[in-house]
Amino acid sequence: MGQILAIDYGKARCGIAATDDMQIIASGLDTILTPGLMEFLKKYFAENRVDEVVVGLPVDLKGNLSEVETDILKFIEIFQKEFPTIKVNRLDERFTSKMASFFISQSGKSKKQRQEKGLIDKISATIILQNFLEQKTR
């Protein structure tokens, strides 16, 4: 069994999280500048077995898709051409950034650390992945 990787895709940065090989625990991996995402994934997939990827679905409170969805769909199209054997899933990412900010504020980190957007992206990806794992087990 391989890992499941989650991507919190953004125009500037992408948060990345992954499970262990048993697909039990979701852990934040890194925050990658969006232009370098495919290179990061190629290297990561060369070193790790990944069965599935879950990409956040940016939906607002009214159920409308965010404008970044156009970029995400382009990314998924390129991803599927590059990695045709890896299944791509989508998961509603509503509130993940707010939840990430809350968890960071409760962690005892300094104000400067709490405001680091890259940390929020990485934790958001971890929340997306944890939610995906919970849905899979239901």
Side-chain angles (χ1 to χ4, degrees), residues 111-128:
K111 184 174 183 175
K112 185 176 180 182
Q113 289 171 314
R114 289 193 309 259
Q115 292 173 334
E116 183 188 330
K117 292 184 190 283
L119 180 59
I120 292 171
D121 295 333
K122 181 168 61 172
I123 293 175
S124 293
T126 307
I127 294 168
I128 291 167

Side-chain angles (χ1 to χ4, degrees), residues 55-68:
V55 180
L57 183 65
V59 182
D60 68 17
L61 293 174
K62 295 180 181 177
N64 300 315
L65 291 171
S66 167
E67 64 184 52
V68 75

Side-chain angles (χ1 to χ4, degrees), residues 8 61 93-106 120-121 123-124 127:
D8 179 27
L61 293 174
E93 64 177 46
R94 235 177 300 202
F95 305 117
T96 57
S97 292
K98 292 217 181 295
M99 289 170 57
S101 295
F102 173 76
F103 292 141
I104 293 167
S105 73
Q106 300 300 305
I120 292 171
D121 295 333
I123 293 175
S124 293
I127 294 168

